[in-house]
């Protein structure tokens, strides 16, 4: 009845311990974290450069598979590397290896998984476009379909 349990108190202590471990890992692997943040900045620059002049409206074509995957992976790096940096630093500290190969392999595998997710999204987009043609174009039924999906999610 409103009381603090021992489990809740010990859980809070454990959470602070895990945060302290993550901060310590970032401090000990500061070069790695700076590298990932620099790569994220370069990816942001590349994303802005590649997207210049692209129509941002609904139903924009995704381009060829190679171009899409290239932009997708660069965009994932730009968005995910800042939050991935502490995890990678903690991983590098946990493996007790001083080299750069394991954390970079960890980061590359992370991008590979996101690349696979982009590949699935690309395939679903192409499949939907070939099956439905222009039925879901924004000027026809697309806005109603999008509204229905959003209404279903919110409900």
């Amino acid at each position: 009845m409103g009381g603090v349990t021992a489990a809740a108190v010990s859980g809070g202590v454990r959470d602070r311990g895990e945060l302290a471990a993550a901060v310590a890992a970032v401090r000990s692997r500061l070069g790695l974290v700076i590298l990932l943040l620099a790569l994220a900045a370069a990816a942001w620059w590349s994303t802005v450069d590649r997207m210049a002049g692209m129509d941002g409206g609904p139903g924009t074509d995704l381009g060829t598979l190679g171009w899409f995957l290239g932009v997708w992976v660069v965009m994932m790096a730009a968005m995910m590397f800042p939050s991935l940096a502490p995890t990678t630093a903690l991983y590098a500290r946990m493996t007790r290896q001083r080299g750069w190969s394991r954390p970079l392999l960890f980061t590359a595998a992370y991008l590979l998984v996101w690349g696979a997710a982009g590949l699935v999204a690309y395939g679903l987009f192409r499949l939907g476009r070939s099956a439905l043609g222009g039925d879901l174009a924004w000027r026809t039924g697309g806005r109603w379909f999008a509204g229905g999906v959003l209404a279903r999610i919110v409900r």
Side-chain angles (χ1 to χ4, degrees):
M1 208 174 29
V4 177
T5 66
V9 171
S10 68
V13 170
R14 185 182 71 237
D15 290 345
R16 279 184 267 148
E18 291 170 358
L19 180 60
V23 169
V26 168
R27 282 187 187 149
S28 69
R29 302 291 189 264
L30 197 54
L32 178 64
V33 170
I34 289 171
L35 173 66
L36 288 174
L37 293 178
L39 287 172
W44 272 111
W45 176 81
S46 178
T47 300
V48 168
D49 184 54
R50 287 181 177 215
M51 295 299 167
M54 184 177 177
D55 174 26
T60 300
D61 189 58
L62 300 180
T64 64
L65 176 62
W67 188 86
F68 173 79
L69 280 179
V71 169
W72 178 268
V73 169
V74 168
M75 181 185 64
M76 286 297 109
M79 291 190 314
M80 301 298 190
F81 275 9
S83 62
L84 179 67
T87 305
T88 305
L90 186 60
Y91 173 76
R93 188 170 186 200
M94 288 171 44
T95 59
R96 303 237 185 257
Q97 298 227 352
R98 302 290 179 213
W100 290 80
S101 62
R102 290 211 180 225
L104 292 180
L105 182 62
F106 176 78
T107 304
Y110 185 84
L111 283 178
L112 183 66
V113 169
W114 275 109
L119 185 61
V120 169
Y122 185 87
L124 289 173
F125 176 81
R126 288 290 176 209
L127 182 65
R129 178 148 299 172
S130 68
L132 300 170
D135 292 342
L136 292 182
W138 202 247
R139 67 185 179 286
T140 57
R143 70 182 107 181
W144 300 108
F145 178 74
V149 168
L150 289 174
R152 178 76 176 155
I153 290 172
V154 171
R155 196 167 52 148

